[in-house]
């Protein structure tokens, strides 16, 4: 019977199996409704590892952080590429970027490392700082009389500023000597349009990853294609100050791939999504929690003031040229902790690997389990982020959770008296760890520093409740709030 229904029977040496009640879907609905609760209840029943059938796929959830290493370490039995390449092609509609499929010989991983880290980081953050300032201080963001309060949703505000500045940083500005008002307005309209299209497409992203075809979603499909049109090489090549990432990707699309022009453009849409989809909600949560916590606001403002003062910079919105070097940004442990704490509470990315062959997975407690070829092994970091043994009062926001007694970055976290190697994983792990993570943290630090330097701000309702996380995106990264929260801001008088 189990052969006919597709239900798996546990064989000796394998983890306990949950087939769920529904054929094919298995446990998908229970998992989707509240992944953390679901996994915790199964962990209580089965222990460190168990297998769930989710949408036709057998997934082994590994819940012991001391055993994470067995999966994160790149073993010859585990493959991370297939899943990523398939997911990207499915969601963005480009041909496969997996060199083994024959459409390109680009080593994407290398491209990312070369253009987002090391030497490449300084020019990126320099451009971002300029773009953030011009976006934040442009006319639409401020009242005619700058001393008047302006109100907005925190989510809406973060999306507008970070999207525009991030978009211009990666994709450059229109190449045109003409800096007339009309020209600038056209430039602005292009970015606002891109933001609307991005949001429309991003809404259905979970459905695409779950395997639904994009044609079911007419407006999201046209949003994605509109974005792609603006990113055709003929359009990108008219832009100035394009980042190394996009320049190199254009070059490699043109020289190492057989993609057609539309497919090339769609690979750039994938880059836009990767660079924004997590950063935007992460920025929201960081600002939201900080504004709500007077101690966090005070400590952060002091750190920002000290940083600008130590490099003799005057804050002047009429001449907005504040600079933060990479060294300065690396030396802001309070902002660092504020960002980490917000992401601990809001990120929910599933880390997955696929078994290339049958093999034996060794856990930290010396138990070993048989894993079958083509099964998935998954780590779900919220299991550690909300573990009360690792983080005291895990549901409470503590802005200084990641600061040690000397006010520096805290890196010692324990479970059962043992020091943990993995205690904070919003950026994934091992080879699939986000290559943009340094840029991401730096840009959020820049955003906060500029806000704190230029603006006064507070919540419209000081007792506002924390909006719940939108769990429909669980597994895909930083979750969005289910609704926006209003705040007000105005320029400080200097
Ligand atoms: C991949 C998180 C910002 C570029 C990833 C992954 C995670 C992640 C968890 C791995 C996905 C997986 O294992 O399936 C985040 C978070 C961010 C952020 C939480 C912000 C707070 C950025 C930024 C960029 C970026 C700003 C680029 C400018 C990428 C790229 C990948 C990736 C290109 C794919 C890497 C690959 O498949 O080899 N990100 N990311 N990310 N991220 Fe980020």
């Amino acid at each position: 019977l189990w052969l006919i229904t597709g239900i798996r029977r546990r064989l000796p040496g394998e983890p306990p199996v949950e087939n769920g009640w529904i054929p094919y879907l298995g446990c998908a609905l229970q998992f989707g409704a509240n992944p953390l609760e679901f996994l915790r209840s199964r962990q209580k029943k089965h222990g460190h590892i168990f297998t769930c059938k989710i949408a036709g796929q057998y997934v082994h959830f590994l819940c012991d952080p001391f055993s994470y290493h067995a999966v994160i370490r790149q073993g010859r039995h585990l493959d991370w590429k297939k899943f990523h390449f398939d997911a990207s092609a499915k969601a963005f509609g480009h041909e496969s970027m997996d060199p083994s499929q024959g459409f390109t010989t680009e080593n994407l991983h290398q491209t990312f490392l070369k253009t987002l880290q090391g030497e490449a980081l300084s020019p990126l953050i320099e451009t971002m700082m300029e773009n953030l300032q011009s976006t934040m201080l442009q006319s639409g963001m401020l009242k005619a009389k700058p001393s008047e309060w302006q109100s907005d949703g925190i989510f809406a505000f973060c999306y507008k500023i970070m999207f525009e500045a991030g978009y211009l940083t990666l994709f450059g500005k229109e190449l045109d000597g003409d800096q007339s008002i009309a020209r600038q307005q056209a430039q602005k309209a292009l970015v606002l349009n891109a933001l609307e299209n991005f949001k429309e497409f991003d809404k259905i992203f979970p459905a695409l990853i779950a395997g639904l075809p994009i044609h079911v979603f007419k407006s999201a499909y046209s949003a994605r294609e509109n974005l792609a049109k603006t990113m055709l090489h003929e359009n990108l090549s008219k832009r100035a100050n394009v980042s190394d990432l996009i320049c190199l990707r254009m070059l490699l699309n043109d020289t190492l791939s057989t993609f057609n022009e539309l497919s090339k453009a769609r690979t750039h849409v994938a880059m836009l999504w990767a660079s924004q989809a997590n950063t935007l909600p992460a920025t929201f949560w960081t600002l939201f929690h900080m504004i709500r916590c007077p101690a966090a606001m005070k400590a952060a403002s002091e750190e920002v003031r000290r940083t600008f003062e130590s490099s003799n910079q005057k804050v002047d919105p009429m001449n907005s040229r504040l600079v933060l070097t990479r060294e300065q940004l690396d030396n802001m442990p309070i902002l660092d902790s504020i960002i980490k704490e917000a992401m601990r509470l809001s990120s929910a990315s599933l880390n997955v690997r696929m078994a290339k062959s049958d093999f034996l997975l060794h856990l930290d407690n010396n138990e070993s389990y048989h894993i079958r070829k083509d099964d998935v092994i998954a780590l779900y970091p919220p299991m550690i982020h909300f573990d009360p043994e690792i983080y005291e009062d895990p549901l409470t926001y503590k802005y200084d959770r990641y600061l040690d007694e000397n006010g520096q970055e805290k890196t010692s976290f324990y479970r059962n008296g043992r020091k943990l190697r993995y205690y904070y994983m919003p950026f994934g792990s091992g080879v699939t760890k986000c290559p943009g993570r340094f840029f991401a943290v730096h840009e959020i630090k820049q955003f906060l520093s500029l806000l704190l330097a230029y603006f006064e701000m507070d919540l419209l309702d000081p007792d506002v409740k924390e909006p719940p996380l939108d769990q429909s995106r669980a597994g895909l990264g930083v979750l969005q709030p289910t609704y926006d929260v209003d705040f007000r801001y105005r320029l400080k008088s200097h």
Side-chain angles (χ1 to χ4, degrees):
L1 180 71
W2 62 268
L3 263 178
I4 299 167
T5 53
I7 287 175
R8 176 182 288 194
R9 238 184 8 190
R10 181 184 185 187
L11 296 180
E14 289 187 336
V17 185
E18 293 259 346
N19 280 297
W21 295 109
I22 313 169
Y24 184 74
L25 279 183
C27 309
L29 297 182
Q30 291 152 286
F31 176 81
N34 191 333
L36 190 59
E37 203 171 277
F38 172 77
L39 293 178
R40 275 187 173 158
S41 73
R42 295 312 183 272
Q43 183 188 23
K44 220 176 245 162
K45 184 165 156 201
H46 300 301
H48 289 331
I49 188 165
F50 47 87
T51 312
C52 297
K53 184 181 182 186
I54 294 189
Q57 177 78 55
Y58 282 93
V59 182
H60 306 285
F61 285 99
L62 180 58
C63 299
D64 168 31
F66 292 108
S67 298
Y68 274 17
H69 186 63
V71 174
I72 291 170
R73 178 190 63 206
Q74 205 43 43
R76 66 198 151 92
H77 301 293
L78 292 172
D79 181 18
W80 55 275
K81 290 191 215 121
K82 189 175 164 4
F83 189 83
H84 285 84
F85 284 130
D86 288 356
S88 185
K90 209 157 54 181
F92 298 101
H94 52 69
E95 282 143 309
S96 176
M97 303 195 77
D98 181 348
S100 71
Q101 302 285 312
F103 297 100
T104 180
T105 53
E106 175 180 358
N107 180 336
L108 256 185
H109 191 61
Q110 285 302 324
T111 302
F112 296 148
L113 296 186
K114 216 187 293 177
T115 57
L116 289 169
Q117 301 185 9
E119 307 263 290
L121 201 50
S122 287
L124 260 184
I125 57 181
E126 222 171 89
T127 315
M128 185 69 188
M129 190 75 170
E130 284 169 25
N131 288 330
L132 274 172
Q133 286 177 89
S134 52
T135 309
M136 217 177 252
L137 299 168
Q138 72 198 351
S139 52
M141 300 306 301
L142 301 169
K143 288 254 167 175
K145 237 167 112 194
S147 59
E148 270 178 40
W149 288 103
Q150 170 98 332
S151 48
D152 203 347
I154 298 182
F155 188 77
F157 180 86
C158 292
Y159 267 57
K160 263 183 291 200
I161 306 240
M162 286 297 267
F163 184 87
E164 178 167 344
Y167 182 98
L168 297 176
T169 301
L170 284 199
F171 296 96
K173 294 184 181 167
E174 264 173 60
L175 229 191
D176 204 323
D178 173 12
Q179 281 303 314
S180 66
I181 303 269
R183 192 81 234 140
Q184 286 177 20
Q185 278 171 345
Q187 172 99 247
K188 175 97 198 150
L190 178 98
V191 178
L192 283 181
N193 223 333
L195 174 55
E196 287 317 307
N197 284 324
F198 170 83
K199 286 200 285 198
E200 190 69 39
F201 169 69
D202 186 42
K203 257 198 292 205
I204 60 132
F205 195 79
L208 298 180
I209 294 300
L212 291 175
I214 190 156
H215 298 283
V216 178
F217 309 97
K218 292 252 169 329
S219 52
Y221 176 70
S222 58
R224 189 190 78 186
E225 294 307 285
N226 286 341
L227 283 172
K229 268 180 224 141
T230 61
M231 291 179 182
L232 288 167
H233 282 199
E234 59 173 296
N235 292 325
L236 289 181
S237 57
K238 291 187 202 127
R239 300 177 72 85
N241 241 327
V242 177
S243 63
D244 288 356
L245 169 65
I246 300 302
C247 283
L248 182 58
R249 292 246 39 275
M250 284 171 72
L251 177 75
L252 300 181
N253 270 344
D254 285 340
T255 53
L256 300 185
S257 87
T258 56
F259 298 153
N260 63 28
E261 290 306 306
L262 192 54
S263 219
K264 290 177 191 170
R266 288 171 174 163
T267 67
H268 301 306
V269 178
M271 294 302 116
L272 175 70
W273 187 86
S275 70
Q276 301 274 5
N278 285 302
T279 313
L280 299 175
T283 308
F284 163 81
W285 288 112
T286 309
L287 180 56
F288 168 76
H289 285 298
M290 188 183 79
I291 287 196
R292 247 180 24 137
C293 172
M297 277 290 271
K298 184 160 180 288
S301 304
E302 287 283 300
E303 184 171 79
V304 169
R305 191 185 49 76
R306 270 198 311 271
T307 307
F308 285 125
E309 267 179 22
S310 69
S311 48
N312 293 322
Q313 299 188 67
K314 278 253 169 315
V315 178
D316 175 4
M318 297 306 131
N319 183 21
S320 50
R321 297 200 176 235
L322 294 177
V323 173
L324 288 172
T325 63
R326 210 171 132 189
E327 291 66 36
Q328 285 174 309
L329 289 165
D330 283 334
N331 225 328
M332 300 183 95
I334 296 174
L335 291 194
D336 210 58
S337 178
I338 281 177
I339 295 168
K340 280 210 181 87
E341 177 67 346
M343 289 225 267
R344 179 185 70 80
L345 289 165
S346 60
S347 85
S349 56
L350 202 61
N351 291 218
V352 293
R353 305 284 192 275
M354 203 171 260
K356 281 197 270 195
S357 50
D358 292 355
F359 78 105
L360 210 53
L361 181 72
H362 302 285
L363 303 194
D364 175 69
N365 60 2
N366 290 327
E367 285 174 9
S368 300
Y369 290 91
H370 286 289
I371 305 292
R372 301 187 201 180
K373 177 174 184 292
D374 293 331
D375 280 357
V376 166
I377 304 185
L379 314 176
Y380 192 58
M383 294 286 278
I384 45 179
H385 294 164
F386 289 99
D387 183 337
E389 283 203 40
I390 304 173
Y391 295 107
E392 203 187 336
D393 299 330
L395 296 174
T396 308
Y397 172 79
K398 297 184 185 175
Y399 83 91
D400 54 358
R401 220 184 256 282
Y402 294 93
L403 291 176
D404 67 14
E405 56 284 0
N406 300 318
Q408 293 305 311
E409 180 186 3
K410 178 171 169 179
T411 52
S412 307
F413 290 85
Y414 297 85
R415 192 172 198 288
N416 284 338
R418 268 177 81 188
K419 190 163 179 232
L420 284 158
R421 176 158 171 194
Y422 300 103
Y423 55 87
Y424 173 74
M425 298 173 56
F427 291 109
S429 55
V431 253
T432 60
K433 203 164 183 184
C434 172
R437 63 193 181 281
F438 303 109
F439 176 54
V441 173
H442 282 147
E443 61 181 334
I444 301 176
K445 277 187 188 169
Q446 293 174 316
F447 172 84
L448 294 178
S449 300
L450 292 171
L451 267 187
L452 289 166
Y454 287 126
F455 296 104
E456 288 178 74
M457 51 195 160
D458 52 36
L459 288 166
L460 284 192
D461 170 7
D463 302 320
V464 71
K465 286 224 167 52
E466 182 177 334
L469 300 167
D470 174 0
Q471 294 288 350
S472 69
R473 309 174 69 86
L476 294 176
V478 180
L479 304 182
Q480 298 177 6
T482 42
Y483 51 83
D484 203 351
V485 173
D486 290 331
F487 82 131
R488 59 179 195 164
Y489 61 93
R490 67 175 176 191
L491 277 181
K492 281 183 183 167
S493 47
H494 288 279

